[in-house]
């Protein structure tokens, strides 16, 4: 009975993870598309429009000051790199998640390899930026790998029991 509950918890956790990662990855794709059209000039105008009133009210507003300083370093090469990164990263992960949702057995090991590659890239990037967001994404990817391995074992066990 306890084994059935654990298998059920793994299955539910795995599907919740798929949904949450899917939503995040779709957001990555949409942001990548948005960035294709958001040139440095447009970014600067947008941030000026957003921050103008906020900085008049509170000149020390951390978020608005960060956005303003970011708009000064946002370049065309940063625009292209970020757009490419978000699109490629998001599309690959969305495709993998669709395959996992459809229970394609070969997609489980593939997803573990791909998530591991993303973890390596995110860890490298974290060492440069110290972004808490990257750290959180990396931890979520590690959790997804663990859930994917457990779900894969459960599916393989179920297939083995059905063939007997």
């Amino acid at each position: 009975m306890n084994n059935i509950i654990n298998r059920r918890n793994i299955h539910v956790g795995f599907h919740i993870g798929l949904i949450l990662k899917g939503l995040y990855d779709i957001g990555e794709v949409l942001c990548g598309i948005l960035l294709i059209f958001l040139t440095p000039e447009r970014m600067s105008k947008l941030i000026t429009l957003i921050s103008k009133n906020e900085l008049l009210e509170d000149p020390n507003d951390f978020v608005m000051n960060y956005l303003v300083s970011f708009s000064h370093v946002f370049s065309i090469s940063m625009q292209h790199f970020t757009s490419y990164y978000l699109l490629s990263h998001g599309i690959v992960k969305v495709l993998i998640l669709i395959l996992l949702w459809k229970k394609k057995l070969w997609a489980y090991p593939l997803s573990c390899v791909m998530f591991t590659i993303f973890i390596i890239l995110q860890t490298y990037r974290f060492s440069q930026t110290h972004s808490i967001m990257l750290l959180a994404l990396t931890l979520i990817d590690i959790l997804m790998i663990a859930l994917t391995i457990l779900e894969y074992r459960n599916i393989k066990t179920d297939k083995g029991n059905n063939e007997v």
Side-chain angles (χ1 to χ4, degrees):
M1 180 69 169
N2 195 22
N3 187 29
I4 293 171
I5 292 171
N6 286 338
R7 290 169 57 93
R8 177 87 176 126
N9 289 342
I10 289 168
H11 183 73
V12 169
F14 176 73
H15 279 89
I16 289 170
L18 286 180
I19 291 167
L20 294 176
K21 279 200 66 55
L23 292 171
Y24 178 82
D25 297 335
I26 289 169
E28 272 188 338
V29 172
L30 294 174
C31 286
I33 292 169
L34 175 68
L35 272 172
I36 291 171
F37 303 102
L38 193 61
T39 64
E41 181 182 317
R42 289 180 183 147
M43 172 76 87
S44 183
K45 286 179 181 177
L46 179 64
I47 290 175
T48 300
L49 179 70
I50 292 171
S51 65
K52 192 170 156 182
N53 290 334
E54 288 293 323
L55 289 175
L56 286 174
E57 288 178 23
D58 180 10
N60 296 319
D61 187 311
F62 175 77
V63 173
M64 289 303 138
N65 281 306
Y66 177 81
L67 285 174
V68 169
S69 66
F70 175 76
S71 72
H72 297 301
V73 297
F74 186 69
S75 64
I76 289 185
S77 63
M78 184 185 280
Q79 172 199 6
H80 291 165
F81 172 79
T82 306
S83 178
Y84 171 77
Y85 176 81
L86 289 173
L87 282 170
S88 61
H89 193 252
I91 289 170
V92 166
K93 287 183 9 180
V94 165
L95 292 175
I96 287 171
L97 294 173
I98 289 169
L99 294 170
L100 291 174
W101 192 268
K102 291 183 173 188
K103 294 187 179 182
K104 302 291 183 186
L105 284 182
W106 56 269
Y108 288 81
L110 172 67
S111 70
C112 291
V113 169
M114 293 306 297
F115 289 149
T116 301
I117 290 169
F118 290 133
I119 287 170
I120 292 167
L121 294 171
Q122 289 163 186
T123 303
Y124 171 72
R125 190 76 180 131
F126 175 77
S127 72
Q128 296 175 328
T129 65
H130 306 291
S131 166
I132 298 299
M133 185 66 158
L134 274 175
L135 185 60
L137 291 173
T138 301
L139 293 174
I140 290 168
D141 283 346
I142 290 169
L143 177 63
M144 274 309 295
I145 288 173
L147 287 170
T148 301
I149 290 169
L150 293 171
E151 180 74 0
Y152 182 67
R153 286 182 185 165
N154 287 343
I155 290 171
K156 294 288 279 184
T157 300
D158 289 346
K159 278 195 174 245
N161 289 340
N162 290 338
E163 292 175 5
V164 173

